[in-house]
Amino acid sequence: MKKLSSSAIAHPNIALIKYWGNKNQALRIPVNGSISFNLDSLFTKTEVTFISELTSDILFINGHETTGLGLDRVVSFLNIVREQAGTQSFAKVNSENNFPVGTGIASSASAFAALSLAASNAIGLDLSEKELSCLARRGSGSASRSIPEGFVEWFPGVMDTDSYAVSIAPARHWGLVDLVAVVTHEHKKVGSTAGHELANTSPLQKARVDDTKRRLDIVREAIKYHDFQAMAEMVELDSNMMHAVMMTSRPVLMYWENTSISIMKNVQKWRASGIPVCYTMDAGPNVHVITTKDYSEDIYQKLACMNGIKQIFIAAVGGKARLVND
Amino acid sequence: MKKLSSSAIAHPNIALIKYWGNKNQALRIPVNGSISFNLDSLFTKTEVTFISELTSDILFINGHETTGLGLDRVVSFLNIVREQAGTQSFAKVNSENNFPVGTGIASSASAFAALSLAASNAIGLDLSEKELSCLARRGSGSASRSIPEGFVEWFPGVMDTDSYAVSIAPARHWGLVDLVAVVTHEHKKVGSTAGHELANTSPLQKARVDDTKRRLDIVREAIKYHDFQAMAEMVELDSNMMHAVMMTSRPVLMYWENTSISIMKNVQKWRASGIPVCYTMDAGPNVHVITTKDYSEDIYQKLACMNGIKQIFIAAVGGKARLVND
């Protein structure tokens, strides 16, 4: 029995300028560029083993065999890898997250980044970082941003081979911390893939997209010069703009819960008092509260005193997707 | 001593399609049309007495003499009335609301509608409804909509004389009820007049305005044919679109409180269960929950069971601004 096995780790990322809406849904080519940083303490570890005797792909997530839509999405992705490698072999995929899925921490980003690296390596492809980012994008758009190191920008591109992410600064460049305030552990009702398809039903999406270059430029410069205040205002604006599109889509996507509002309002008060802190929310009710290492304990204590927060994850800026030995 | 006195009553109104942003700030000529209905149980009653011996205007609100910005705004308005009448006499204004001011129930709408009618009548002007609506608009944009009867549309126009509101259906046309869920009695930090000036700082305002004709057409038709479902979706979309603009303005205007979110989410659940109910929010944290007479008691009970609601006002569709005898 021939076995080709590799394991990889990748981190989720938090977008400072958001990805919402595709110009090519099948290839997940986004309508606008985005900027994120990886979250070091959170990760997906994925082992991929191509086994010649298998008659189909099999998937285990956190130790449980997974079928249905979750498996279908992985099979579709592995078909792309097999096509690139010119082989037919099926795989056993064993994926583990150290954080809950489906609640606004982008588990699909780290999952498909780790899967891209492990699967391509196991099957014998030797992909560049750019090619890996393109590949990861096919599984989940934001997974393209979990391939490179630290602070990352995803260039939208126009085709499969030019829509990828690059590192714009290493993790050590700026000591930011993301405190993820978990408001609910419920699975979100509308996932990101379905959500992206609704973006154009909002009368506000075009205006959001048309204004993206300005926001990207400001956040890219703010990262370069460690300008927290400039970053904070733009990150919150960008988050509000994405949720503005969501809540004016048809059907309406309202990811905010009442506790989300309380956290956002408190973050604005804390920043007004002089603390470098800002919020951003992905397609879920959890609030990412971004601050610097110097203030992370203070902000943690402040969040811990609030009602309605179930759990707080803390992550500094993380590294790139990488192969690991089991 | 020569005294010329009149009293008038006007109702606040709740906008189904919102007014947000002016093309002429001084004349309060709005960038888009709007549709509202008057709220019968809430009212401002204003007595205006022009007294030849007075050396300045004096203002009493709910029995208390008011100076500062509140008085300045009334004086500026009375100057317009005096100019139209060609007289110099100052006035004593006595205004009473039966509802709290500054929390998202448009007290300035009923106040300036009642003041327009009382002041113009006391000073001897005989204004048509159109002229009264234009005059009321000068004091507060949405006051133009509190002049006509029942369901009202404000045509934006381009100059002082063609920006006014008309009745599109009498109050008896459709038995809607507005349950105003009061979330806080705090005065809002940024009032509507200042807020309108910020509308253009949002990258989303132009898209909101450009899409207005579509929303007006749908809501006007929905009123005509008593089509609650069509109205509900568009009213909630329009409210979300205005708040999307507010929360992406600079500075950010975030009027939503955590209880506001809970109410909006519950309203959507109730409608999904088959009840004709929808929400809309003005420039404040209170939520207007609109339903029909048949369901108003049911919705009242549901709201009364929720945490965080301080008070609930109930209003059916109200009549026009009218003169009253003391």
Side-chain angles (χ1 to χ4, degrees):
Chain A
M1 189 169 81
K2 190 179 166 199
K3 286 173 72 171
L4 297 164
S5 187
S6 288
S7 290
I9 274 180
H11 303 289
N13 63 75
I14 179 63
L16 303 174
I17 299 293
K18 305 294 190 192
Y19 157 49
W20 194 248
N22 291 313
K23 52 193 175 207
N24 183 320
Q25 191 76 21
L27 292 175
R28 297 179 194 271
I29 296 176
V31 287
N32 63 272
S34 50
I35 290 178
S36 62
F37 64 83
N38 294 329
L39 302 177
D40 72 345
S41 66
L42 309 177
F43 61 83
T44 300
K45 184 181 172 189
T46 300
E47 181 186 39
V48 178
T49 309
F50 286 95
I51 305 170
S52 54
E53 280 72 15
L54 283 178
T55 55
S56 66
D57 297 314
I58 49 176
L59 171 65
F60 291 81
I61 297 180
N62 297 331
H64 300 286
E65 185 165 3
T66 300
T67 56
L69 293 176
L71 175 62
D72 292 348
R73 191 166 168 185
V74 165
V75 168
S76 298
F77 182 81
L78 290 172
N79 287 341
I80 298 168
V81 177
R82 280 186 280 262
E83 195 182 313
Q84 287 193 15
T87 68
Q88 301 289 332
S89 185
F90 292 105
K92 177 185 174 193
V93 175
N94 197 343
S95 187
E96 290 180 2
N97 299 304
N98 73 339
F99 59 98
V101 298
T103 58
I105 301 175
S107 57
S108 64
S110 53
F112 280 98
L115 180 62
S116 297
L117 183 52
S120 63
N121 192 70
I123 212 165
L125 290 168
D126 183 24
L127 301 183
S128 67
E129 185 175 278
K130 172 183 161 178
E131 289 166 331
L132 270 174
S133 178
C134 285
L135 177 60
R137 193 201 74 237
R138 301 291 297 275
S140 171
S142 57
S144 67
R145 295 191 311 242
S146 283
I147 295 292
E149 145 95 7
F151 296 86
V152 172
E153 180 163 359
W154 176 12
F155 305 121
V158 293
M159 64 181 94
D160 186 31
T161 51
D162 70 355
S163 183
Y164 61 96
V166 301
S167 179
I168 57 173
R172 67 177 181 282
H173 168 72
W174 195 8
L176 296 186
V177 175
D178 181 11
L179 294 101
V180 189
V182 177
V183 166
T184 171
H185 286 111
E186 282 177 37
H187 260 265
K188 56 192 175 188
K189 291 173 196 119
V190 179
S192 296
T193 299
H196 286 291
E197 296 189 38
L198 300 181
N200 276 331
T201 66
S202 165
L204 304 179
Q205 166 74 345
K206 184 175 182 299
R208 187 193 73 85
V209 172
D210 288 349
D211 184 64
T212 307
K213 182 182 180 301
R214 181 181 74 93
R215 303 194 307 279
L216 286 167
D217 290 347
I218 290 171
V219 167
R220 197 187 304 110
E221 286 290 289
I223 291 170
K224 188 173 178 184
Y225 297 109
H226 299 186
D227 184 346
F228 198 98
Q229 183 66 26
M231 181 188 76
E233 285 182 21
M234 210 44 53
V235 165
E236 292 184 357
L237 172 66
D238 189 82
S239 176
N240 288 357
M241 283 176 84
M242 182 177 74
H243 286 273
V245 167
M246 291 164 162
M247 67 180 65
T248 56
S249 294
R250 187 187 170 105
V252 170
L253 297 175
M254 177 62 84
Y255 288 111
W256 294 0
E257 296 289 344
N258 56 2
T259 304
S260 319
I261 289 272
S262 300
I263 298 169
M264 290 192 281
K265 293 207 159 203
N266 277 343
V267 165
Q268 290 186 314
K269 278 183 209 156
W270 300 336
R271 187 160 81 257
S273 78
I275 301 174
V277 62
C278 67
Y279 69 76
T280 187
M281 290 180 66
D282 281 348
N286 297 339
V287 184
H288 293 255
V289 180
I290 295 170
T291 184
T292 62
K293 278 186 177 138
D294 289 347
Y295 287 89
S296 62
E297 180 59 28
D298 179 26
I299 296 295
Y300 180 88
Q301 293 301 336
K302 283 181 159 64
L303 289 170
C305 290
M306 286 184 63
N307 290 323
I309 298 179
K310 303 276 197 295
Q311 197 174 357
I312 304 170
F313 293 102
I314 305 182
V317 184
K320 63 182 175 185
R322 54 202 180 273
L323 293 166
V324 290
N325 297 317
D326 274 310
Chain B
M1 191 167 80
K2 192 179 165 198
K3 287 173 74 171
L4 297 164
S5 187
S6 288
S7 290
I9 274 179
H11 301 290
N13 63 76
I14 178 63
L16 303 174
I17 298 294
K18 305 294 190 189
Y19 155 50
W20 194 246
N22 290 313
K23 51 194 175 208
N24 183 321
Q25 190 76 22
L27 292 176
R28 301 180 193 269
I29 296 175
V31 288
N32 63 272
S34 51
I35 290 177
S36 62
F37 65 80
N38 294 329
L39 302 177
D40 71 345
S41 66
L42 309 177
F43 61 83
T44 300
K45 183 180 171 191
T46 299
E47 181 186 40
V48 178
T49 310
F50 286 94
I51 306 173
S52 53
E53 281 70 17
L54 283 177
T55 55
S56 66
D57 295 314
I58 50 177
L59 171 64
F60 291 81
I61 297 180
N62 296 332
H64 300 286
E65 185 165 3
T66 300
T67 56
L69 294 175
L71 176 61
D72 292 349
R73 192 167 169 186
V74 166
V75 169
S76 298
F77 181 81
L78 290 173
N79 287 340
I80 298 168
V81 177
R82 279 186 280 260
E83 196 183 314
Q84 288 194 14
T87 68
Q88 301 290 329
S89 187
F90 293 106
K92 178 185 174 191
V93 175
N94 199 342
S95 187
E96 289 181 3
N97 299 303
N98 72 340
F99 59 99
V101 298
T103 57
I105 302 176
S107 58
S108 64
S110 52
F112 280 98
L115 180 60
S116 298
L117 183 52
S120 63
N121 192 69
I123 212 165
L125 290 168
D126 184 24
L127 301 183
S128 68
E129 186 176 276
K130 172 183 163 181
E131 289 165 330
L132 270 175
S133 178
C134 285
L135 176 61
R137 192 200 75 236
R138 300 291 297 276
S140 171
S142 56
S144 67
R145 295 191 310 244
S146 283
I147 295 291
E149 145 95 7
F151 296 87
V152 172
E153 179 163 1
W154 176 12
F155 305 122
V158 294
M159 63 180 97
D160 185 32
T161 51
D162 70 355
S163 183
Y164 61 96
V166 301
S167 179
I168 57 173
R172 68 176 180 279
H173 168 71
W174 194 8
L176 297 185
V177 174
D178 181 11
L179 294 101
V180 190
V182 177
V183 165
T184 170
H185 285 109
E186 282 177 38
H187 259 264
K188 54 191 177 190
K189 292 172 194 120
V190 178
S192 297
T193 299
H196 286 290
E197 296 188 38
L198 300 180
N200 276 330
T201 67
S202 165
L204 305 180
Q205 167 72 347
K206 186 176 179 300
R208 186 193 74 84
V209 172
D210 288 349
D211 184 64
T212 306
K213 183 182 180 301
R214 181 182 72 94
R215 303 194 305 281
L216 286 168
D217 289 347
I218 290 170
V219 167
R220 198 186 305 110
E221 286 291 288
I223 291 170
K224 188 173 177 182
Y225 296 108
H226 299 187
D227 183 345
F228 199 97
Q229 183 68 24
M231 180 188 77
E233 286 184 19
M234 210 43 54
V235 165
E236 292 184 357
L237 172 66
D238 189 82
S239 175
N240 289 356
M241 285 178 83
M242 181 176 74
H243 286 274
V245 167
M246 291 166 163
M247 66 179 66
T248 56
S249 295
R250 189 188 169 104
V252 170
L253 297 176
M254 177 63 85
Y255 288 110
W256 293 359
E257 297 288 343
N258 56 4
T259 303
S260 320
I261 290 273
S262 300
I263 298 169
M264 290 191 283
K265 293 207 160 203
N266 277 343
V267 165
Q268 290 184 314
K269 278 182 210 156
W270 300 335
R271 187 162 79 258
S273 79
I275 300 175
V277 61
C278 68
Y279 68 76
T280 186
M281 290 180 66
D282 280 347
N286 297 339
V287 184
H288 293 254
V289 180
I290 295 169
T291 184
T292 61
K293 276 186 178 140
D294 288 348
Y295 288 90
S296 63
E297 180 59 29
D298 179 26
I299 296 295
Y300 181 88
Q301 293 301 335
K302 284 180 157 66
L303 289 170
C305 289
M306 287 184 65
N307 290 323
I309 298 179
K310 303 276 195 297
Q311 197 173 355
I312 304 170
F313 292 101
I314 305 182
V317 183
K320 63 182 175 183
R322 56 203 178 275
L323 293 167
V324 290
N325 297 317
D326 274 307

